[in-house]
Amino acid sequence: MSQTTIESILQEKRLFSPPAEFSQQAYVRSVREYEQLYDKAKANPERFWAELAEQELDWFQKWDTVLDWQPPFAKWFVNGKINISFNCLDRHLTTWRKNKAALIWEGEPGDSRTLTYAQLHREVCQFANTMKQLGVQKGDRVGIYMPMIPEAAIAMLACARIGAPHSVVFGGFSAEALKDRLVDAQAKLVITADGGYRKDNIIPLKEQVDRALADNGVPSVQNVLVVQRTKQQIHMEPGRDHWWHDLQQGASADCPAEPMDSEDLLFILYTSGSTGTPKGVVHTTGGYNLYTHMTTKWLFDLKDTDVYWCTADVGWITGHSYIVYGPLSNGATSLMYEGVPRPSNPGCFWDVIEKYGVNIFYTAPTAIRTFIKMGEHLPKARDLSSLRLLGTVGEPINPEAWVWYHRIIGNERCPIVDTWWQTETGGHMIAPFPGAIPTKPGSATRPFPGIIADVVDLDGNPVSGEEGGYLVIKHPWPGMLRNVYGNPERYRSTYWEHIAPRDGQYFYFAGDGARKDEDGYFWVMGRVDDVISVSGHRLGTMEVESALVSHPSVAEAAVVGKPDEVMGESIFAFVTLEGNYSPSDTLIDELKKHVVKEIGAIARPGEIRFTDALPKTRSGKIMRRLLRNIAAGQEVAGDTSTLEDRSVLDKLRGGA
Ligand code: WTA
């Protein structure tokens, strides 16, 4: 995050109380009610979660132990039997919600579709049977590489229904990135589409799948199911590839939901960390269902009459938890939109809100900053009066963007719910209850009941004051990740060992820096590790460095985030070349393309600077702090005495 953003956050003192009309109808109406809930959960978290699990979800068989905590491994609702697809679909069919819109979908070229709960249930059952016919069984992993179309949600729910864990890979990732993830998950089936609309182009999803699977690249994959979306010519491999519509047509709609153990694997979702390849974050069934259900209900104050819209892509955790599972478990109407704002259609979000009368809108700071640039005349030309709550997620929101969102989009009537959480946490962790908690622009405010959050130093001691510390969670919660797929050691070292456990107290290390103010409000300041956030998308600097180094011209690469007004951060790469290559603009272009091929367009470096050496300590460690300063065009701050060769710095500043 840029220095000016941090400064403006530090100086922020404004307080916005929830509008009285909102509080009156909210589930939680005052700070006092919030604190009662919070204290109740803190006094006995297990009882708190058990009561909610009983009230809010349908179980085939009740658990016998609420929490089995063998740090750092947790099991929730042990021996309980449940199916999240049942909770998202079947149980609503016996109520008036049967013919309520479950999914409203707005397609990119202007098509649209609405699926009621009964219709969605039918499609999910048919698709579950289709997968069974292809030999997919409980426990088999299924890769999903799809555009934002209803079939993506149908595929996820069908997987959950038969107990085949899904691993959704964002459609913007390259064939290489897809392959790595499918190999790690050992997927048996891949579900994709011929193509997807993205901005004003078509992305060739099926072609990328073909590339990922070429030369037996992912030996575990037996079949590929293809949705026809863009209708361009694609290759269909006989015996391996099948059209979704061909198989779906004849499939039976009778497919009872498989009773799953509460701790059975629900999905794997890959996310970047500071080291190595992306980690497969493991989420299981019962706890995740409860956690996404409760956070959706309370933090979005979700009512049966609401049209709710989360603008994320299903390829990210936000799409999993807050387009599909959380809203549908609550029987809500969840809107899915295939498009993204772009110069050729800058007002598209506001058109969608007006067209469907959206009541709850959940988006990212990077989108808000883009809207600010596009101008307030666009939202002002639409009727946004249906909105009653605005959410944000993905990165710290700068107070200017917060206030713009509040004024221009919310017309000062809508509480702003800034939600801090992560792929690993399953659902929202720190966020204001919209009818209860007065908000401060830039702060995610206070933790959800049952979440014991703190800001500590590396010894685990709470820290106060403006310099802040590390954001940690001190008690397990139902939505937490259970493991890193196939790598429990990595799970332990990434999340539970940065701050050593003491006296039986374990600290979940989020990787974010934060501070807590005198009112107990949390201010998340951004990552403290080598993860950068480009338009709210998490990327490990090491992943981008590995991609660069895999090009024959590159000897060494160091990647840092450069503050960017709209994207939050952009990728800045310092590169040293192999002896027989010389710097040129053509090579810069080639290297950028190479990174896109290796990872995907989201990882395209904004800038590449050639240098003949990188600043290193005497022990050979790259001093990223200095590189961050240089990338940002700032004076090099702090101690440089450990630098091995000081002349490197001057050369870097000038660009070698
Ligand atoms: C950042 C996205 C400040 C944070 C749900 C976290 C935020 C990372 C916020 C997780 C927020 C997310 N305020 N920072 N409201 N929300 N972050 O796994 O750095 O894609 O660690 O999950 O995004 O990103 P992930």
Side-chain angles (χ1 to χ4, degrees), residues 343-355:
S344 61
N345 196 358
C348 60
F349 273 16
W350 321 126
D351 289 338
V352 172
I353 292 176
E354 186 176 73
K355 177 169 175 187

Side-chain angles (χ1 to χ4, degrees), residues 271 317-318 392-397 418-424 444 510 512 524 526-527 536 538:
T271 191
I317 190 70
T318 308
T392 142
V393 59
E395 52 179 317
I397 181 164
D418 177 0
T419 60
W420 175 82
W421 61 294
Q422 312 177 290
T423 305
E424 292 87 344
D512 279 317
V524 178
R527 301 290 305 192
R538 254 168 94 167

Side-chain angles (χ1 to χ4, degrees), residues 360-409:
I360 300 171
F361 179 61
Y362 188 33
T363 195
T366 183
I368 298 167
R369 292 191 297 259
T370 309
F371 300 139
I372 297 176
K373 281 213 147 163
M374 287 172 168
E376 57 184 66
H377 62 283
L378 293 165
K380 283 199 164 150
R382 271 78 172 185
D383 178 6
L384 305 183
S385 60
S386 58
L387 290 172
R388 64 181 200 91
L389 184 148
L390 301 173
T392 142
V393 59
E395 52 179 317
I397 181 164
N398 46 312
E400 297 71 25
W402 194 104
V403 170
W404 188 90
Y405 199 28
H406 181 66
R407 263 192 334 111
I408 306 298
I409 308 305

